[in-house]
Amino acid sequence: MEDVDGNRVLDYVLSWGPMILGHAHPDVVRAIQRAASQGTSFGTPTEHEVTLARMICEAFPSIEKVRLVSSGTEAVMSAIRVARGFTKRDGILKFEGCYHGHADHLLVKAGSGAATLGIPDSAGVPKAFAGQTLTAPYNDMDAVKRLVQKHWRILACIIVEPIAGNMGVVVPRKIFLRQLRTLTRKHGILLIFDEVITGFRVMYGGAQTMYGLKPDLTCLGKIIGGGLPVGAYGGSKEIMDMVAPAGPVYQAGTLSGNPLAVTAGIETLKKLRSSSLYGKLERRAVQLAEGLGQAAGQSHVPFYQTRVGSLMGGFFTEGPVVDYTSAKRSDTKRYAKFFHLMLEKGSYFAPSQFEAAFVSTAHTAADIEKTVADAHQVFKRL
Ligand SMILES: *Cc1c(COP(=O)(O)O)cnc(C)c1O
């Protein structure tokens, strides 16, 4: 990435996740140009939209039907509306530190920028909306069981990031997701996996394929637009048939399934489907994670690392980090110093402890080596 002053940096933010092939991948750019020359929006589905929808259904066994929208926020908002329409219940349960976009009822104990700026419960959200949202600590099945026992009659859904990526990266206990699946099924509550980050990041088919679990609804975004605005939500035919015009849950968008955006997505997914890319991402991610870990170790800086594939976190605390409370034990002042010093040296990590680091297929082994060498210098000064 190059800024207005001509400083070149290695980018580990990658637009917060979408740019898995790096910036301005020539094949993606060419595909967008070709699509643009055919017209940029029609307000009616194009062949490309259907192609992307098919690719998503093929990648995710839990998705039989999918609706494209223009952002992750829209995808989650709509999936929750479908869950409420389907179950005829209003309540939702989310996890502290998980971020699901900026819809009113989801800005409750939210992660990402909301956590960074100290406004996890945003102003401007009516109490009545926030009141529909229950929260539990991530990875805490006892808390979930207690809440469900008491409130299941009003709960439409439980929504979770199957790997949390918005309070830094927090990995789920395997039993946690499995028990969420069992418990929700037992009480007629829909289980929504927000895979906006994890979708095509941790593997083709997302965290649900990796963990062998089938949520009722899945939300996607980020990578599926290849750097342009696309979101999607989908699930079984029975549930998705709630969406208008087939059913009574209304949702629409003038620019949804936009031909440029879906073309960038298709081209990106095509590349990812050639499986060797995930192997490459894994190698680069291991190289970076191990390098940073060694740099921290040599300088005796507490640095608790988490990683699934090319989605990774490093908390400035002894750890373990399993939820938002333990994530918040991080020394964020130290993180800020790390961020600024690394940026000065030419590596751009997220300007917040509570975000993820990503690598792309464009990062070379030499790039990572440079970042690691710089990190050795930087950790000494922390
Ligand atoms: C980024 C993100 C969203 C919101 O997507 P936008 O495209 O920014 O609206 C929702 N859920 C998760 C898990 C995300 O990481």
Side-chain angles (χ1 to χ4, degrees):
M1 213 165 76
E2 188 174 322
D3 70 12
V4 285
D5 301 316
N7 301 310
R8 292 173 67 86
V9 296
L10 292 164
D11 180 5
Y12 297 101
V13 178
L14 296 172
S15 183
W16 311 99
M19 311 315 298
I20 195 165
L21 302 179
H23 296 292
H25 189 291
D27 294 346
V28 178
V29 172
R30 253 193 309 275
I32 295 170
Q33 285 168 335
R34 216 170 29 243
S37 72
Q38 294 169 349
T40 56
S41 185
F42 301 95
T44 193
T46 64
E47 191 183 358
H48 304 308
E49 183 177 354
V50 178
T51 302
L52 181 61
R54 283 220 174 94
M55 290 174 90
I56 291 170
C57 292
E58 276 162 22
F60 288 82
S62 72
I63 303 182
E64 292 171 357
K65 262 191 162 182
V66 65
R67 172 67 68 87
L68 300 187
V69 291
S70 297
S71 68
T73 294
E74 256 189 291
V76 176
M77 224 169 74
S78 312
I80 285 189
R81 188 176 302 140
V82 170
R84 287 172 160 163
F86 185 80
T87 58
K88 301 192 168 63
R89 301 170 181 171
D90 290 340
I92 65 183
L93 195 158
K94 77 177 279 293
F95 293 94
E96 293 166 14
C98 281
Y99 178 70
H100 303 291
H102 64 82
D104 280 337
H105 45 274
L106 291 161
L107 285 180
V108 179
K109 298 194 179 169
S112 192
T116 306
L117 302 177
I119 43 172
D121 308 284
S122 170
V125 174
K127 274 203 182 65
F129 290 8
Q132 303 290 336
T133 306
L134 303 176
T135 60
Y138 197 77
N139 270 326
D140 186 344
M141 207 52 214
D142 290 339
V144 175
K145 278 183 188 153
R146 273 198 303 276
L147 285 167
V148 167
Q149 219 112 63
K150 194 157 170 219
H151 300 288
W152 67 268
R153 284 177 197 81
I154 59 131
L155 275 179
C157 61
I158 295 183
I159 182 162
V160 64
E161 289 180 72
I163 302 159
N166 285 293
M167 47 178 146
V169 173
V170 176
V171 179
R173 296 190 176 108
K174 210 163 180 181
I175 189 92
F176 173 62
L177 295 176
R178 222 181 298 136
Q179 288 186 336
L180 280 182
R181 180 61 288 185
T182 317
L183 188 69
T184 45
R185 200 167 268 146
K186 184 172 156 203
H187 292 286
I189 301 165
L190 297 194
L191 179 62
I192 305 180
F193 273 11
D194 181 349
E195 296 226 40
V196 171
I197 285 188
T198 53
F200 288 89
R201 168 60 63 180
V202 294
M203 70 179 280
Y204 205 83
Q208 56 192 266
T209 306
M210 176 174 268
Y211 296 130
L213 290 167
K214 269 193 177 182
D216 298 298
L217 286 163
T218 300
C219 305
L220 297 167
K222 300 202 165 113
I223 288 172
I224 62 163
L228 269 68
V230 184
Y233 64 101
S236 68
K237 184 175 177 311
E238 186 196 4
I239 295 171
M240 286 304 287
D241 276 347
M242 291 300 292
V243 182
V249 175
Y250 189 72
Q251 182 272 309
T254 304
L255 293 168
S256 296
N258 173 270
L260 297 200
V262 294
T263 297
I266 292 166
E267 201 60 30
T268 301
L269 296 195
K270 269 191 196 160
K271 294 255 171 313
L272 292 174
R273 211 166 42 186
S274 80
S275 56
S276 57
L277 285 188
Y278 284 98
K280 183 177 172 182
L281 285 167
E282 174 78 18
R283 284 196 301 282
R284 299 281 185 272
V286 167
Q287 187 191 350
L288 180 59
E290 287 183 354
L292 292 177
Q294 279 158 10
Q298 279 173 18
S299 297
H300 307 290
V301 174
F303 190 58
Y304 183 81
Q305 292 181 284
T306 50
R307 185 181 72 81
V308 181
S310 60
L311 167 63
M312 62 176 98
F315 296 91
F316 284 81
T317 172
E318 297 285 355
V321 175
V322 296
D323 57 15
Y324 189 41
T325 302
S326 44
K328 278 195 299 188
R329 287 195 194 110
S330 302
D331 184 343
T332 53
K333 288 209 175 72
R334 211 170 203 178
Y335 182 88
K337 215 164 152 194
F338 165 81
F339 162 77
H340 284 290
L341 291 171
M342 287 305 290
L343 187 61
E344 254 169 49
K345 289 196 176 290
S347 290
Y348 171 47
F349 287 91
S352 164
Q353 173 74 89
F354 305 115
E355 300 284 357
F358 301 101
V359 294
S360 74
T361 57
H363 287 100
T364 64
D367 291 336
I368 309 266
E369 216 169 285
K370 181 194 176 315
T371 296
V372 168
D374 290 342
H376 275 272
Q377 302 300 315
V378 164
F379 270 102
K380 278 187 201 139
R381 294 172 58 191
L382 298 180

